[in-house]
Every structure is written in structure tokens, then in C-alpha cells.
Amino acid sequence: MGQWLRRLVLVGVALAMAAVAGAGYVGIQRSLSAQPEAAFDVAWRWQPLGGPAWIAAAQRSLNALEERDARSGILSELGRHYPLAPGLWLGRARLAHAAGDTEAVGERLRLAVTLQPGDADLHWDAAMLSLRSGRVDEAVGYLRDYVHLRPRHVANAVLSARRWVAGPGAVVDRVVGAHLPALERLLGQAARWRDWPLAAAVWERLPPGLRGDATIAADYAGRLLRDRRVAEAVRVWRAAEPGFAAGAVSNGGFESPLAGRVPFDWQVRAPEGVRVERDEGDANSGEAALRLAFDGEHNLRLRTPRQYVVVTPGEEYRLTGQWRSDGLTTRSLPYWRVIGEGAERREGLARIEAPRYGSWDWQPFSATFTVPEGMELIRVELRRDPTDNLDRFIGGDLYLDDIALEP
């Protein structure tokens, strides 16, 4: 008899636990599908003594309800069962804000984040409520914690803080501090915004090791260069490449691998119909040349390789190099173009035509030009234009080597 009674008790306990769990699950699902204002009432009907659906449902209802009495009722019920729930104290802080009691706002927010210090969303809510209550210093502190917990959202925190904190340097110091992942992400975001004062403030606060990182410096310098902020781009790039020299073509002999995203090196973006690669088997000098292999099936527009070179306005320069052809077809042949890049305008400065189609051995090319005033940057670029001629599909190979710029 005793054994059967124990089994009966165990079965009853298991059924009761299943009923509680089932009620919790149903309560969660029903409260999620209900209107936000009614979410807490739905959860309460399924679990009147409290349960897993309560806190989330209470938060949804508190965020949606405008009436102070309704919000107070939810907080009172929640507080009886979960006096240390962070959402409870966040809700009470909102009620204090509505009543104009800024001191109570600060006290309740501090308790909320103390109860759950690792919740990024809670820190964000605390920051926004502190700002609305005029508690700027505390808001900035919550934003800083938010950034450290969720560095990928540093831009949101900085945008919010800039309305209250003067100066990009102060914003970075107070909101980001020395948190390296957040600093690195904010640098890229500021550059994408073209917010150069903010980007400069972040860059100055990066440790030398990160400023010397070629990937970080290349991305930032490249964005500066595209905005024609030449002097700043040079300064940034020299942090990663101290030996970088203005007024010279980088890797003109193609002895080093093509660097890709490096701002002052060859940029190669080959269209369909041509393959661009270093060739170590046929160079005019040194160990390698650059080979462009055209497949003979495309009437392509070519704008590669290209390189930006820092120059002195008003100075005369001479572009030189070597090239050779192996079976180039069509009369629309590749040619070199030198373009001056100013802040407000561009200007073609020189053009060097290929000698002829067919094949020819290594031979020099050159062009002399003067950089207009106001231009600190030129673009050296190999081009080919599409044509309507019958021989429009370009085939064969073109080799380049020993590209140089001489003052």
C-alpha cells in the first residue's frame, strides 16, 4: 500500500509540474500574440501566481501603456512576486520621470543596472531615460557601458551622446574610452559618414599598434583619398608605411604582389574578358612584369591597373615605363591616361597610345605634363574603350613594367 501511495504522489507531482510548465508555455505564447497593452493581463490569467511569462509580458505592457495608473498596477503586482527584477525598477524609474522626480529616476536606474549589469539593452534604456530626465553625466556612463557590452553598436551611442557632449574628442573619450573593438568600428563608421573631425579624434586615440596596422590604415586612408583629403591620407598611410614617398609610383616594377586595397598602390579591378596578373617569366627588368591577357570575346571597357600618386601643384612630371604586346587585336587598343584629381574638378593631363596592334617587343613610353594649381593628386590609369568597329573584340596579351614618375 505504501509503495502505491508513493507512486501516486510522484505521478501527482509530475502532473502538477507539467501543468505549471504547460501553463507557462501557453502564457508566453498567448502574451506574445496579444496586443502589447494586454500582454500582462493575458500572462496573469494563465499564471496568476507568477511565472516565466510575467516579466517579459510586463515589459511589453509597460512599454506600450500611456496611463500612469495602469503602469503602476503592473509594477505593483510584479514587485510582489519579483522584487529584484531589473524591469521592475526600470518601470518605476519611468514612473518617476513622468512625475518629474529626477532624483528617484537616478536611484531606480542605478538599482536596475546593478541587478543586471550585463544587459546591454537595459543600459541603453537607462541612458535614454537619463537623457530625458536631464541627467547627462549618468546617461553618458550608461552609454559607455552599452558600448563596452555591444561594441558593434557604438555608432548609435555616439550619435546620442553628441547632442549633449560638445566636441568629437570629448565624445570619444567619454563614451568609447580605450575600448579597442569599439574604437576600430567607430573609425570605419565615421569615415563612411565622412565625419572627418570624429574620424580624426578616433584615429588619434588608437594605440600605435593599431595605427600601424596596414588593413586599418589602408581603409581609412583610402576613404580620405576618395574625398580628396590628400595630406591627411598621406599622414595616415605613413603610420603603416613610414617609408612611403610622395611623388613616386609605388611598385612600378611589379616586383611585389599587388596589394589590392592599399591606397597608394596599384588597384586592379579587371572586367570580364581580361585576366590581370603578375608574370615572373617575362620582365623587361627585375623578376616580374604585369600581364593583361585578353580572351578575344569581349568588347570591354578597361580602367585597370590604376594608381593614385601624390604630386606638387604647378610642378612638371614625366611618366615613363615599358610595355610589349603579344598578338593584340582590334584597333581600339589600350592606352595610358594621367588625370589630375582636384577637390572640385578633374582634368586630363596626358595620354600615351599603344604603338599598334599585333605583336611588338619591349619598348619605352613616356609623357610629360604639368600639374595644375590646386591639384595634389593624379591618377595613372591604363584604359581601353569599347568600339563599334567590326574588330571590337580584343584578344592577345599586353605586358607592363618599370612604370615610374620623374619630377
Side-chain angles (χ1 to χ4, degrees), residues 190-192 194-201 220 223-224 227 229 232:
R192 285 189 290 274
R194 298 171 69 187
D195 187 339
W196 303 119
L198 177 60
Y220 182 28
R223 293 182 185 276
L224 286 166
D227 208 44
R229 306 179 74 88
E232 295 170 61

Side-chain angles (χ1 to χ4, degrees), residues 88 106 112 125 128-129 141 147 164 166 180 205 220 245 334 340 353 361 365:
L88 167 68
D125 290 339
M128 296 301 101
L129 187 55
V147 166
W164 306 89
L180 297 185
R205 286 157 177 77
Y220 182 28
E353 303 283 354
D361 203 356
F365 63 81

